[in-house]
Amino acid sequence: MRKLLLLTFILSQFVAAAQPLRTPAEIKNFTQPSSYEETVKYLNQLDQYSDLVAIESIGKSVSGRNLFALKYSKPGNRSNQPKIKVLIQAQQHGNEQSGKEGALLLANELVKPEYSYLFDRIDLMLVPQVNPDGSEKNVRRNSNGADLNRNHVIMTEPEVMALHRLFDKYFFEVTMDVHEYYPYSEEWIKQGYLKNSDVLIGLNTNPQIPATIRDFQKREYMPFWTEYLKTRGISNGTYSPGGPTEDTYIRYSTFDINDGRQSYGIQNTFSFIQEGLNGDDSFVQNLSHRAYSQSRGMLALLEFVYRNGKEMKKIVREERKKLISPPANEDVALQMEHVADGSILRLPVYSYFSKSDSIIEFKNFRPVVKSTLSIKKPFGYLFPASNTELVNWARRQGFETIPLMNPEKFVFEKLAITAVDSIDFEGDIIPCPQVTTTIISDNISLENYVFIPTAQLKGNLLVIAIEPQSELGLATYKQFGYLMKAQTVYPVIRVRKAESKTLTIK
Ligand SMILES: [Zn+2]
């Protein structure tokens, strides 16, 4: 009898394992999102279910919850081509449930035999829930009250640090950051419209990210993504904040590098942001369709990368080679603006006038980001070792530091803030200093400094973060506000090769 019971038990386990899994929200018929506990259990089940996938803990949230990644990788390589590495992450904002639910649906889809071919060419890391603390309370921010998707430059939050440790371990060539957008603003409704695309897509917009990457995204990915979703009954568009009236210009989303998309993009990565439609209860309304739409958007990316990965990998390899080489007289954009190029945005909306889906045309559309202030990329920067705030920031970012040999071959530039003006940054007024540069003629005691060269993957990020006139720089954050005081000497010293000084004089 005991044997029979045991056999029944083993058989029932076998049957359970052979049946396709369902996400926690699917089991609850999407009346509630998947809780953290349920999500952890489900991810472990997936790990047990398929050899293709392995669960990994990548860090902990502020409240001590584990942050999980699922690694999809097939052993062996029939094509003999090195695989392309893709990172998809969701729910940095805890009240954007469809990102997580879409990722959990995708996680299960990908273990099905019909998608197995993807992993002949792709290694995928999927982080379904970056902000479990926020998710449990359905709030945007983490337990420190920080907006994680504005934290990738100052990098003070453990969730964001965990993401970048993961990135720095694998150097993904393609990333997607999954969010939700909120179309229910008074202004839009007053004008009679509601943006109602199931999903929107945003590409790299910072002009420092190579044009080869940005053009490929626009030319190749956009039409593919649009068609892929349309044929699956999912409405879509480009992520275009601004409006609704012609008084407020409309543009592609921010060029700032403090978000999950461009913090990877600035390391010459194909990075995308996907924005699913939020429910107007900001929670579970229509969650089943919202999650499904998000998961198909993620699948579209994987299918595209499967088809184009070889070319994408080559572009990334060549562009990153430039980043890790010593600077070759190139410019780094520090201030920029959105400008028109004569094109008109045709935006799909729901119209309260006709009570149907409609298209509105925006003439005040500014799709191009133009640099308005740039600097010749220096060889590196000297951080005073005594400035623990700056040195700890550099450590959190994981910059490579090297000893600066043969100081006589370099020119050291001291920066002084003479006054602080203000400039327009995407419609907000932010402070901007006036800076004078003088060449230091005395010997510098290099042992009192940490040297960070710009010839590294995060080299452009370093310049953009540390230059005092950068509108995306450290000095624009409250924590580093002391860097931008009038009549003070900037603590960081700019280092250039001596011959570049001769070049300037010529
Ligand atoms: Zn978001």
Side-chain angles (χ1 to χ4, degrees), residues 93 96 140 149 178-180 182 275:
H93 292 139
E96 298 175 5
R140 180 177 174 95
N149 206 34
V178 183
H179 287 262
E180 286 183 354
Y182 310 81
E275 298 269 348

